[in-house]
Amino acid sequence: MSVEGERDLSRPSATRTQHAIRLLALMHRCGERPTKSDPPGTVSVVRSELRLQAMDFWLRNPDYLADELITLVESDTIDDSYLGVAERLLNDPEPDLRYYPMPKWLHGAFEPLDDAFSLLETYGLATAVRSGTPGRNVEKTQFFLTEAGAAAAQTLAEDTTLGWYSQQVALVALVAGDEVGSRLKDRQYLQTTYANTDLGANIASIADRVRVRLAAHTQDGGAEDES
């Protein structure tokens, strides 16, 4: 896996289909149950674009996801076994193959969802509900997964190749919890590399720093074993 400073931030963007697959997996695992006032025939909803963008960032950047797992271990929110998961995120080839940097804009990591989401809508897998008047009120978009979309996501999870997305999304769900999008963005802004990225530039890797952090835990564990 490439290390910090060696990753090519100019590597080609993910295809529209890859982006759509990520969104499908995220809505399936990281959404909440719709209410009676939501569109009929939907089974899951992500209530804001901020939340969806923030989770997509962790899905596309395994080093940032690994760092979040280490933080949860340190707070005793999850057990120490996740340190091994964090190590695999940093060192296994599969996460790096799925690594696609995101540019930073005014609200942090952002990449337009319209093209990818329209692909899901075309096949009846998802639908978006927008509220507010452009230029007058704050616009809000909610993203709904349909019954057909849930079935497609389950098929995806069982695929020997594409099932990786569902496995990775399970970690994103663990890290994101049920926090709103603005709170997830605030957490991402705590990363100096993320916060200091110029507008329009791709957010760089923090893999080297996360490896140092992980190594400290390994050394501490070894010291405890010897005591």
Side-chain angles (χ1 to χ4, degrees), residues 24-54:
L24 182 72
L26 286 167
M27 285 188 292
H28 185 237
R29 188 61 185 264
C30 303
E32 61 185 75
R33 293 181 64 87
T35 65
K36 291 181 179 180
S37 61
D38 289 324
T42 58
V43 297
S44 179
V45 54
V46 176
R47 294 290 182 187
S48 75
E49 183 171 352
L50 273 181
R51 178 171 164 86
L52 195 54
Q53 294 276 4

Short mmCIF file of all heavy atoms in Angstrom, two decimals, residues 24-54:
data_model
loop_
_atom_site.label_atom_id
_atom_site.label_comp_id
_atom_site.label_asym_id
_atom_site.label_seq_id
_atom_site.Cartn_x
_atom_site.Cartn_y
_atom_site.Cartn_z
N LEU A 24 -25.05 3.13 -2.54
CA LEU A 24 -26.01 2.06 -2.26
C LEU A 24 -25.65 1.35 -0.95
O LEU A 24 -26.52 1.13 -0.09
CB LEU A 24 -26.03 1.07 -3.42
CG LEU A 24 -27.01 -0.10 -3.32
CD1 LEU A 24 -28.44 0.40 -3.51
CD2 LEU A 24 -26.68 -1.17 -4.36
N ALA A 25 -24.39 0.98 -0.81
CA ALA A 25 -23.95 0.27 0.39
C ALA A 25 -24.09 1.14 1.64
O ALA A 25 -24.48 0.66 2.71
CB ALA A 25 -22.50 -0.20 0.22
N LEU A 26 -23.78 2.42 1.51
CA LEU A 26 -23.88 3.33 2.65
C LEU A 26 -25.32 3.52 3.10
O LEU A 26 -25.63 3.49 4.29
CB LEU A 26 -23.26 4.69 2.30
CG LEU A 26 -21.73 4.73 2.25
CD1 LEU A 26 -21.25 6.03 1.60
CD2 LEU A 26 -21.13 4.59 3.65
N MET A 27 -26.23 3.71 2.15
CA MET A 27 -27.63 3.89 2.52
C MET A 27 -28.21 2.63 3.16
O MET A 27 -29.03 2.70 4.06
CB MET A 27 -28.45 4.29 1.29
CG MET A 27 -28.24 5.73 0.84
SD MET A 27 -29.40 6.21 -0.46
CE MET A 27 -28.82 5.18 -1.82
N HIS A 28 -27.75 1.48 2.68
CA HIS A 28 -28.27 0.21 3.20
C HIS A 28 -27.84 -0.02 4.64
O HIS A 28 -28.65 -0.47 5.48
CB HIS A 28 -27.76 -0.94 2.32
CG HIS A 28 -28.32 -2.27 2.69
ND1 HIS A 28 -27.52 -3.34 3.02
CD2 HIS A 28 -29.60 -2.71 2.78
CE1 HIS A 28 -28.28 -4.40 3.29
NE2 HIS A 28 -29.54 -4.03 3.15
N ARG A 29 -26.60 0.31 4.97
CA ARG A 29 -26.06 -0.02 6.29
C ARG A 29 -26.11 1.16 7.26
O ARG A 29 -26.20 0.97 8.48
CB ARG A 29 -24.62 -0.51 6.15
CG ARG A 29 -24.01 -1.07 7.42
CD ARG A 29 -24.78 -2.27 7.93
NE ARG A 29 -24.28 -2.76 9.20
CZ ARG A 29 -23.41 -3.76 9.32
NH1 ARG A 29 -22.96 -4.38 8.24
NH2 ARG A 29 -23.00 -4.15 10.51
N CYS A 30 -26.04 2.38 6.76
CA CYS A 30 -25.85 3.55 7.62
C CYS A 30 -27.08 4.46 7.69
O CYS A 30 -27.00 5.55 8.27
CB CYS A 30 -24.65 4.37 7.17
SG CYS A 30 -23.10 3.45 7.10
N GLY A 31 -28.18 4.05 7.10
CA GLY A 31 -29.38 4.85 7.16
C GLY A 31 -30.22 4.54 8.38
O GLY A 31 -29.91 3.64 9.16
N GLU A 32 -31.28 5.29 8.55
CA GLU A 32 -32.23 5.04 9.63
C GLU A 32 -33.56 4.61 9.05
O GLU A 32 -33.80 4.74 7.85
CB GLU A 32 -32.41 6.30 10.49
CG GLU A 32 -32.95 7.50 9.72
CD GLU A 32 -33.00 8.76 10.58
OE1 GLU A 32 -31.94 9.34 10.84
OE2 GLU A 32 -34.12 9.15 10.99
N ARG A 33 -34.43 4.09 9.88
CA ARG A 33 -35.73 3.62 9.40
C ARG A 33 -36.60 4.81 9.02
O ARG A 33 -36.69 5.78 9.77
CB ARG A 33 -36.42 2.79 10.47
CG ARG A 33 -35.73 1.46 10.77
CD ARG A 33 -36.49 0.69 11.83
NE ARG A 33 -37.82 0.32 11.37
CZ ARG A 33 -38.10 -0.78 10.68
NH1 ARG A 33 -37.12 -1.61 10.35
NH2 ARG A 33 -39.34 -1.06 10.32
N PRO A 34 -37.27 4.75 7.88
CA PRO A 34 -38.18 5.83 7.49
C PRO A 34 -39.38 5.92 8.43
O PRO A 34 -39.71 4.96 9.13
CB PRO A 34 -38.61 5.43 6.08
CG PRO A 34 -37.62 4.43 5.62
CD PRO A 34 -37.16 3.71 6.85
N THR A 35 -40.02 7.08 8.43
CA THR A 35 -41.23 7.27 9.21
C THR A 35 -42.44 7.18 8.28
O THR A 35 -42.30 7.07 7.06
CB THR A 35 -41.22 8.64 9.89
OG1 THR A 35 -41.24 9.67 8.90
CG2 THR A 35 -39.96 8.80 10.75
N LYS A 36 -43.64 7.29 8.85
CA LYS A 36 -44.86 7.19 8.06
C LYS A 36 -44.99 8.33 7.05
O LYS A 36 -45.68 8.19 6.03
CB LYS A 36 -46.08 7.18 8.98
CG LYS A 36 -46.19 5.91 9.82
CD LYS A 36 -47.44 5.94 10.69
CE LYS A 36 -47.57 4.67 11.52
NZ LYS A 36 -48.77 4.68 12.38
N SER A 37 -44.35 9.45 7.33
CA SER A 37 -44.44 10.59 6.42
C SER A 37 -43.46 10.52 5.26
O SER A 37 -43.49 11.35 4.35
CB SER A 37 -44.22 11.89 7.20
OG SER A 37 -42.92 11.91 7.78
N ASP A 38 -42.57 9.53 5.28
CA ASP A 38 -41.59 9.38 4.21
C ASP A 38 -42.19 8.63 3.02
O ASP A 38 -43.26 8.03 3.14
CB ASP A 38 -40.36 8.64 4.74
CG ASP A 38 -39.53 9.49 5.69
OD1 ASP A 38 -39.45 10.70 5.46
OD2 ASP A 38 -38.98 8.94 6.66
N PRO A 39 -41.52 8.65 1.86
CA PRO A 39 -42.07 8.00 0.67
C PRO A 39 -42.36 6.52 0.91
O PRO A 39 -41.56 5.82 1.55
CB PRO A 39 -40.96 8.18 -0.37
CG PRO A 39 -40.23 9.40 0.08
CD PRO A 39 -40.26 9.36 1.57
N PRO A 40 -43.49 6.03 0.44
CA PRO A 40 -43.83 4.61 0.61
C PRO A 40 -42.86 3.72 -0.17
O PRO A 40 -42.29 4.14 -1.18
CB PRO A 40 -45.25 4.51 0.04
CG PRO A 40 -45.36 5.67 -0.89
CD PRO A 40 -44.54 6.76 -0.31
N GLY A 41 -42.68 2.52 0.33
CA GLY A 41 -41.81 1.57 -0.38
C GLY A 41 -40.34 1.79 -0.13
O GLY A 41 -39.50 1.18 -0.80
N THR A 42 -39.99 2.66 0.82
CA THR A 42 -38.58 2.88 1.16
C THR A 42 -38.28 2.21 2.49
O THR A 42 -39.15 2.10 3.35
CB THR A 42 -38.23 4.38 1.21
OG1 THR A 42 -39.07 5.04 2.18
CG2 THR A 42 -38.45 5.02 -0.15
N VAL A 43 -37.03 1.78 2.65
CA VAL A 43 -36.68 0.99 3.83
C VAL A 43 -35.56 1.61 4.66
O VAL A 43 -35.30 1.16 5.77
CB VAL A 43 -36.28 -0.45 3.42
CG1 VAL A 43 -37.45 -1.16 2.76
CG2 VAL A 43 -35.08 -0.43 2.47
N SER A 44 -34.91 2.61 4.12
CA SER A 44 -33.80 3.25 4.83
C SER A 44 -33.63 4.66 4.29
O SER A 44 -33.92 4.93 3.12
CB SER A 44 -32.51 2.44 4.63
OG SER A 44 -31.43 3.05 5.30
N VAL A 45 -33.16 5.58 5.17
CA VAL A 45 -32.97 6.96 4.74
C VAL A 45 -31.75 7.55 5.41
O VAL A 45 -31.49 7.34 6.60
CB VAL A 45 -34.22 7.82 5.05
CG1 VAL A 45 -34.62 7.72 6.52
CG2 VAL A 45 -33.98 9.28 4.66
N VAL A 46 -30.97 8.29 4.64
CA VAL A 46 -29.90 9.15 5.17
C VAL A 46 -30.44 10.57 5.07
O VAL A 46 -30.77 11.04 3.98
CB VAL A 46 -28.59 9.00 4.37
CG1 VAL A 46 -27.53 9.97 4.87
CG2 VAL A 46 -28.08 7.56 4.47
N ARG A 47 -30.53 11.25 6.20
CA ARG A 47 -31.30 12.48 6.29
C ARG A 47 -30.61 13.72 5.74
O ARG A 47 -31.24 14.76 5.61
CB ARG A 47 -31.70 12.74 7.74
CG ARG A 47 -32.66 11.70 8.33
CD ARG A 47 -34.03 11.81 7.72
NE ARG A 47 -34.97 10.84 8.32
CZ ARG A 47 -36.19 10.65 7.87
NH1 ARG A 47 -36.64 11.34 6.82
NH2 ARG A 47 -36.99 9.77 8.43
N SER A 48 -29.33 13.65 5.42
CA SER A 48 -28.67 14.84 4.89
C SER A 48 -27.51 14.47 3.98
O SER A 48 -26.89 13.40 4.14
CB SER A 48 -28.16 15.73 6.03
OG SER A 48 -27.00 15.18 6.62
N GLU A 49 -27.23 15.37 3.05
CA GLU A 49 -26.08 15.15 2.17
C GLU A 49 -24.77 15.25 2.94
O GLU A 49 -23.80 14.56 2.62
CB GLU A 49 -26.09 16.15 1.01
CG GLU A 49 -24.95 15.91 0.03
CD GLU A 49 -25.06 16.74 -1.24
OE1 GLU A 49 -26.10 17.40 -1.44
OE2 GLU A 49 -24.09 16.73 -2.03
N LEU A 50 -24.72 16.11 3.97
CA LEU A 50 -23.50 16.22 4.78
C LEU A 50 -23.11 14.88 5.37
O LEU A 50 -21.94 14.49 5.35
CB LEU A 50 -23.70 17.23 5.91
CG LEU A 50 -23.43 18.72 5.62
CD1 LEU A 50 -23.67 19.53 6.89
CD2 LEU A 50 -22.02 18.94 5.10
N ARG A 51 -24.08 14.16 5.90
CA ARG A 51 -23.79 12.85 6.49
C ARG A 51 -23.33 11.86 5.43
O ARG A 51 -22.36 11.12 5.63
CB ARG A 51 -25.02 12.32 7.23
CG ARG A 51 -24.81 10.94 7.85
CD ARG A 51 -25.99 10.55 8.75
NE ARG A 51 -25.99 9.12 9.03
CZ ARG A 51 -25.31 8.53 10.00
NH1 ARG A 51 -24.55 9.25 10.81
NH2 ARG A 51 -25.38 7.23 10.18
N LEU A 52 -24.00 11.86 4.29
CA LEU A 52 -23.63 10.93 3.22
C LEU A 52 -22.23 11.23 2.70
O LEU A 52 -21.43 10.32 2.47
CB LEU A 52 -24.66 11.00 2.10
CG LEU A 52 -24.65 9.86 1.07
CD1 LEU A 52 -24.76 8.50 1.74
CD2 LEU A 52 -25.78 10.05 0.07
N GLN A 53 -21.90 12.51 2.52
CA GLN A 53 -20.57 12.90 2.04
C GLN A 53 -19.49 12.52 3.06
O GLN A 53 -18.42 12.04 2.69
CB GLN A 53 -20.52 14.41 1.77
CG GLN A 53 -21.38 14.90 0.64
CD GLN A 53 -20.72 14.77 -0.73
OE1 GLN A 53 -19.63 14.22 -0.86
NE2 GLN A 53 -21.39 15.25 -1.75
N ALA A 54 -19.77 12.76 4.35
CA ALA A 54 -18.79 12.44 5.38
C ALA A 54 -18.50 10.95 5.44
O ALA A 54 -17.34 10.52 5.58
CB ALA A 54 -19.28 12.94 6.74
#
